[in-house]
Amino acid sequence: MFRTALRNVLAHKARLLMTVLAVMLGVAFVSGTLVFTNTISDAYQKSSAKGFDRVDVAVRPEYQDSEGDKVGTTPRLTRALLDKAAKVPGAASATGVVTGFTALADKDGKLVGGDWQSAGGNYWGTEDPRYPLVSGHAPRNGHEVAIDSATAQRAGYRVGDTVRLSVDGPVLTPTVSGIFTTDDGNVAAGGSLTLFDTATAQSLFGKKGTYDEIDVQAAPGTGQAALKAELDKALPAKLVDTTTGRQLADDQAEAISSSMSGLKQGLLVFAGIALFVGTFIIANTFTMLVAQRTRELALLRAVGASRRQVTRSVLLEAFAVGAVAGVAGLAAGVGIGAGLRSLLGSFGASVPDGPLVISPGTVVTALAVGILITMLAAWLPGRRAAKIPPVAAMSSVHAQATAKSLVLRNTLGSLFAAAGVATVLAGTRMDADTGQGVMGIGAVLLIIGVFILTPLLSRPLIAAAAPVLRAFGVSGKLARQNSVRNPRRTAATASALMIGLTLITGMTVMAGSLQQSIDKMASSAIRADYVVSMANRGPLSPEVEKKLAAADGVTASSPLRNGESRIDGGTQYLTGVDGAAIGKLTDLKVTDGSFTVGGTRVVVDEDRAEQHGWKAGSRFTAHFEDGKAARLTVAGVYEGNDMLNGIILDNKVLTPHLTDPADMQVMVKTAAGASDAVKDRLEKALGTNPAIKVQDKQDISNEIAQMFTLMLNMVYGLLGMAVIVAVLGVINTLAMSVFERAQEIGMLRAIGLDRRAVKRMVRLESLVISLFGGVLGIGLGVFFGWAAGELLGTKMPTYELVLPWGRMAVFLLLAGVVGVLAALWPARRAARLNMLTAIKAE
């Protein structure tokens, strides 16, 4: 039986080619994902580990949890603590570390290194071993900075040049005193690092006389664990936390691995979709191959082969196909992994140097996936063939599905589909957190149900195309009859395309609806013409609001200032505003009382009001971070949203209790409204700062739209793999169908159907099957998009369903194009059949 199976594989090489390609693409996606993520993770881990080479023990402040009415605080690492750490037995030296966001502009005034990758810190003394200088000298005062060599090369800076930078708003123009090298992972990934002298860094980052971390280096002969033990004895345990450099490196490696796991899982999901689509092709191929070899298998049964041996022979064929596809997919996956790494560079992202990582786990996974998926998909056709009695197989009695089997299939499909619809609808009535899982289960049940029912659905839907197909004469009539001749085969072929279009349509519906709801939220909640914020969404200096308020044409402005408090024994974050101006800058819907902010009168959103049982007129006590308290009165309750929510009070009440006041945003209204000229004037008032964004409502909407567009394009690209696999499925089905119907096509040619009509028949058949899958996919996608929107609507009151009719029409058109392209080779092959040879074919 093994030799028989191997001989059958070699005999049907051309017919199995599309199956090999489909499995190979899925395996390549899986192995490429593993190679890419393992390579990137390994490179970052090795790069970040170098940064801890000079750190034996790190001393960090221990956050003090909030208790009762006391707000949680983070103690400061003072110079006294640093000196104490430097003197413990076994310590060679101690370095104070200060860090913060620093936006550095290039010579064209644009931000270097991206938003979150623009970092700053302190250069310790005149020779900091962490940052070896390649030219110049260490920064000595607030008028000098040192920059990393990679940034200097990208931006074209040299020692002595004047640079423009900002840490929290105001523009600084220091001179480059030195250029250094670093093992910092962010710099290796394309970011920038700017260093100040320690006193300047402490002042700029709001940490005067204190440090974010103290790095202690061990003396020769002292281990990290021994040094940590000595530091634990000498330093106050309740205020600081000590960690060895080895542990820091391990934690960093784990953090990098964890951050990469999300990307890996996401890519593997799409790889799984491609493989799932591939199973339809495999099952279809083996079903047709087994059907063509029915008499051969019956003869094997007649001469003594058992059912198990017949099934095993089919599975052995599948094993051989899966092994070839797995090996080829692994090789292609290595190339994909290397290509993705290079692709990052073309998008401006740098990756630390390192070898391509092909782990044993990747090799085993690739081969296992290829073989198991193929064998699982081939098991059912093999089992079905083995159950056919030899006499029935030889007389082809088995060819038609029994009425009992069709009733059973349709009943099972109806139950799955009904359960799926009911579960999805139930999920729409739940809250967003609970409903996600329920809706996911419902979606799987519904897709399974529709797949089972697809043979039943194919007849009426394809029949609906009959009036159009009549226009193509005999070719159109034959194409329609061929499409419904074997509903199961048509269903399996169309389902592969259906799955890809379901996901693409669902994501498009959700993205369009979310974009519209965000636009509506911005236009309905904000009256301000502009919202000013840092590029990294970090805190703004209060000086920014003062400069904006003094700018020409500004009629109202208000900072949004955050502060922590304790209310009713729980932590609550407060938003401080200019009480006199906030009413002119926002348009929030008030459900109780009035939107009045001033003195001790505050407004709260509906969630906080419900949580605490507040209403207009309620009074409560807020305990601030300086330990003092104030008795506040609820003036009104409003509908919160993602842009503005929580407890809003006057900055005159909040600011005196803040140790280091900072604003998250500044809202600005101008006499002339939003225009390019006004925006340019505001940017100039802030010194044309690369770190600050001045955005009107349209800018905010465009920024969000850009994120959605990027996400959608990524999804389209990733799901494109599943669509390619589906195209291979259509080609495979048509090619094998042409081979199966060779005698019939020869007879048609003999009675007068010319080659052009034969080509047209095959193309129309492919077009009808593809459009059938497209209609099902778009319909399911719209339903899932609507259901997901209903779930999101529980957290986003402005959400409303938007159907992208234009894009859905494009998707349906693409499904038709897929059908036409997939039919090119099978149609050509059918037209070139020799009619006499075909008529004599068995």
Side-chain angles (χ1 to χ4, degrees), residues 427-430 439 784-795 799 801:
T428 62
R429 291 177 168 80
M430 300 178 181
M439 195 170 288
F784 291 141
W786 166 82
E790 289 293 302
L791 201 62
L792 287 170
T794 60
K795 286 193 172 184
Y799 184 89
L801 181 67

Side-chain angles (χ1 to χ4, degrees), residues 108-122:
D108 295 325
K110 295 180 181 178
L111 189 64
V112 177
D115 299 347
W116 62 274
Q117 294 173 326
S118 302
N122 68 310

Side-chain angles (χ1 to χ4, degrees), residues 36-57:
F36 171 67
T37 52
N38 288 343
T39 298
I40 299 300
S41 179
D42 181 72
Y44 274 116
Q45 286 177 16
K46 288 179 178 176
S47 176
S48 65
K50 291 180 183 177
F52 298 112
D53 286 347
R54 299 181 184 88
V55 180
D56 289 311
V57 179

Side-chain angles (χ1 to χ4, degrees), residues 529-533 548 551-554 668-689 692-700 702-703:
D529 295 317
Y530 293 98
V531 175
V532 180
S533 62
L548 289 168
D552 290 340
V554 173
V668 180
K669 191 166 185 63
T670 62
S675 68
D676 291 340
V678 173
K679 181 178 180 180
D680 187 56
R681 190 161 61 242
L682 293 177
E683 288 177 342
K684 286 181 179 177
L686 297 173
T688 315
N689 195 325
I692 294 181
K693 291 182 179 180
V694 180
Q695 298 176 297
D696 59 20
K697 295 176 188 178
Q698 190 58 48
D699 290 332
I700 295 172
N702 290 343
E703 186 176 60

Side-chain angles (χ1 to χ4, degrees), residues 525-528 556-558 581-587 667-669:
I526 299 177
R527 287 180 181 171
S557 66
S558 173
I582 193 65
K584 303 173 187 177
L585 301 167
T586 59
D587 189 19
M667 290 184 172
V668 180
K669 191 166 185 63

Side-chain angles (χ1 to χ4, degrees), residues 166-388:
S166 175
V167 297
D168 61 356
V171 176
L172 305 174
T173 55
T175 301
V176 177
S177 67
I179 295 174
F180 60 89
T181 58
T182 177
D183 294 323
D184 188 284
N186 280 339
V187 173
S192 66
L193 180 60
T194 307
L195 300 180
F196 308 87
D197 69 283
T198 300
T200 300
Q202 289 173 327
S203 177
L204 289 174
F205 300 139
K207 301 159 186 173
K208 289 186 179 180
T210 63
Y211 310 96
D212 293 304
E213 180 177 308
I214 298 172
D215 292 340
V216 186
Q217 197 164 10
T222 303
Q224 291 186 354
L227 179 59
K228 180 182 183 301
E230 292 294 337
L231 287 166
D232 287 339
K233 292 178 188 176
L235 302 180
K238 292 184 178 180
L239 297 180
V240 301
D241 175 63
T242 58
T243 311
T244 64
R246 190 175 297 107
Q247 184 62 48
L248 288 174
D250 292 343
D251 291 345
Q252 183 79 356
E254 187 177 344
I256 291 171
S257 179
S258 177
S259 65
M260 293 300 295
S261 68
L263 173 64
K264 182 187 292 185
Q265 289 172 7
L267 291 173
L268 287 176
V269 165
F270 288 101
I273 293 169
L275 284 168
F276 181 59
V277 170
T279 58
F280 293 108
I281 300 174
I282 301 165
N284 232 4
T285 302
F286 277 92
T287 298
M288 296 170 77
L289 284 174
V290 167
Q292 292 167 14
R293 290 163 43 211
T294 300
R295 292 187 179 183
E296 174 191 326
L297 294 175
L299 182 61
L300 288 173
R301 290 288 315 283
V303 298
S306 65
R307 288 184 177 182
R308 184 174 295 178
Q309 286 178 311
V310 170
T311 303
R312 193 181 301 152
S313 72
V314 175
L315 291 178
L316 284 171
E317 291 178 44
F319 175 85
V321 171
V324 171
V327 172
L330 176 62
V334 172
I336 289 174
L340 286 174
R341 177 173 173 170
S342 299
L343 191 63
L344 284 180
S346 66
F347 285 122
S350 301
V351 179
D353 292 331
L356 205 63
V357 178
I358 307 170
S359 66
T362 300
V363 176
V364 171
T365 300
L367 294 176
V369 166
I371 293 169
L372 288 177
I373 290 292
T374 310
M375 291 183 70
L376 284 173
W379 175 75
L380 190 59
R383 184 172 177 272
R384 192 184 297 135
K387 290 175 68 176
I388 301 170

